[in-house]
């Protein structure tokens, strides 16, 4: 079974631009969560999507948004990029929590904002 | 507030010996705990998990212990191997939190040959 895939793997943007990251979950997984990893803040939860609906949201500004499609693929968008948005963005997928509670992570997208 | 804490940023052990990584939590609503291993520029790899109804779970060389009264869990790796060198993250989730994971800061484990 293929794992979680994320595209692109690396991205360089400048301040003020926007960016869209993509995540394809493991086949059969319907929950997709996004996390940001930075050296100073560690791994921080951004949001979770389940059945095309945002089910959970972390403490990030509204510039960070996401969506999920009917095939469970998810996208994350960051508008008006700031230098502090430079980070590794990780996507994780899982079955509905009542079935299995383990999240499996993709390799991440490394975003550098100049 | 840091709801999941890993107080040791680093740990160094000799090959063949036991590695013990510790994690403390403050949120009594957490009911599921996981350990992940992570290499630089890669996503975390799931290692082992434990539900709050158990106090021990074993998988090969990896054993996780949960002490609910102390709000403490630990990961034991026996025997440690050089390939185990990585950053280990403890994570927790709540029954009503969906799939949201709260992570500790991580512990860098170095296993010396």
């Amino acid at each position: 079974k293929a794992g979680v895939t994320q595209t692109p793997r690396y991205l360089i943007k400048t301040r003020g631009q926007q960016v869209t990251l993509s995540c394809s979950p493991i086949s059969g997984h319907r929950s997709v969560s996004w996390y940001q990893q930075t050296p100073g803040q560690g791994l921080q939860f951004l949001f979770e999507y389940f059945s095309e609906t945002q089910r959970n949201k972390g403490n990030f500004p509204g510039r960070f948004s996401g969506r999920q499609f009917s095939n469970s693929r998810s996208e994350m968008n960051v508008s008006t990029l700031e230098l502090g948005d430079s980070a590794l963005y990780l996507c994780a997928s899982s079955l509905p929590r009542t079935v299995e509670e383990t999240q499996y992570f993709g390799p991440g997208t490394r975003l550098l904002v100049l | 507030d840091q709801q999941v804490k890993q107080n040791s940023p680093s740990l160094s052990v000799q090959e063949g010996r036991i590695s013990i990584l510790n994690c403390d939590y403050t949120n009594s609503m957490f009911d599921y705990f996981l350990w992940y291993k992570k290499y630089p520029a890669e996503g975390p790899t799931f290692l082992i998990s434990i539900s709050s109804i158990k106090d021990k779970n074993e998988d090969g060389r990896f054993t996780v212990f949960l002490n609910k009264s102390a709000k403490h869990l630990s990961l034991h790796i026996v025997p440690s191997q050089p390939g185990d060198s990585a950053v280990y993250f403890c994570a927790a989730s709540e029954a009503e939190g969906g799939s949201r994971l709260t992570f500790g800061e991580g512990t860098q484990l170095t296993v010396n040959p």
Side-chain angles (χ1 to χ4, degrees):
Chain A
K1 201 181 241 188
V4 178
T5 58
Q6 291 187 245
T7 56
R9 291 295 311 277
Y10 304 93
L11 207 48
I12 300 175
K13 292 285 188 178
T14 55
R15 276 185 304 174
Q17 286 187 309
Q18 75 163 14
V19 67
T20 299
L21 312 180
S22 181
C23 171
S24 292
I26 292 171
S27 178
H29 285 193
R30 291 165 56 196
S31 169
V32 174
S33 299
W34 289 88
Y35 295 82
Q36 180 197 63
Q37 186 185 23
T38 58
Q41 298 296 319
L43 275 152
Q44 301 283 316
F45 173 80
L46 281 155
F47 30 65
E48 179 205 359
Y49 285 87
F50 178 75
S51 292
E52 302 179 62
T53 301
Q54 188 180 88
R55 185 163 67 170
N56 243 312
K57 191 176 190 307
N59 297 323
F60 279 81
R63 299 185 297 106
F64 292 81
S65 63
R67 59 178 176 167
Q68 187 180 35
F69 302 95
S70 58
N71 61 358
S72 294
R73 191 178 71 84
S74 176
E75 286 183 348
M76 189 192 103
N77 184 273
V78 188
S79 62
T80 320
L81 283 166
E82 300 177 0
L83 295 179
D85 296 333
S86 295
L88 181 66
Y89 289 89
L90 293 159
C91 163
S93 76
S94 64
L95 290 167
R97 199 179 191 275
T98 53
V99 178
E100 183 184 294
E101 296 150 350
T102 300
Q103 289 190 47
Y104 296 90
F105 284 82
T109 294
R110 171 73 63 183
L111 172 65
L112 178 61
V113 181
L114 301 175
Chain B
D1 64 338
Q2 193 72 23
Q3 297 186 60
V4 178
K5 291 184 74 67
Q6 294 175 254
N7 291 315
S8 298
S10 63
L11 175 67
S12 184
V13 300
Q14 286 299 120
E15 181 178 5
R17 305 295 289 269
I18 184 172
S19 295
I20 300 177
L21 297 101
N22 294 301
C23 178
D24 297 295
Y25 62 95
T26 58
N27 187 345
S28 57
M29 301 301 293
F30 286 146
D31 71 338
Y32 192 65
F33 304 88
L34 309 92
W35 284 94
Y36 287 88
K37 172 181 173 179
K38 189 178 184 301
Y39 295 111
E42 292 184 12
T45 301
F46 169 71
L47 277 174
I48 192 168
S49 62
I50 188 167
S51 165
S52 61
I53 62 173
K54 296 183 177 180
D55 54 18
K56 177 183 174 181
N57 189 25
E58 203 169 343
D59 184 2
R61 297 186 297 116
F62 303 92
T63 303
V64 56
F65 295 92
L66 175 62
N67 182 333
K68 289 187 291 295
S69 61
K71 293 191 175 66
H72 176 84
L73 64 155
S74 61
L75 174 68
H76 292 209
I77 307 174
V78 183
S80 302
Q81 300 172 354
D84 295 331
S85 298
V87 178
Y88 288 76
F89 288 95
C90 164
S93 66
E94 299 179 34
E96 301 304 321
S99 296
R100 174 179 188 152
L101 290 176
T102 301
F103 282 86
E105 308 94 324
T107 297
Q108 171 70 58
L109 172 66
T110 302
V111 180
N112 301 302

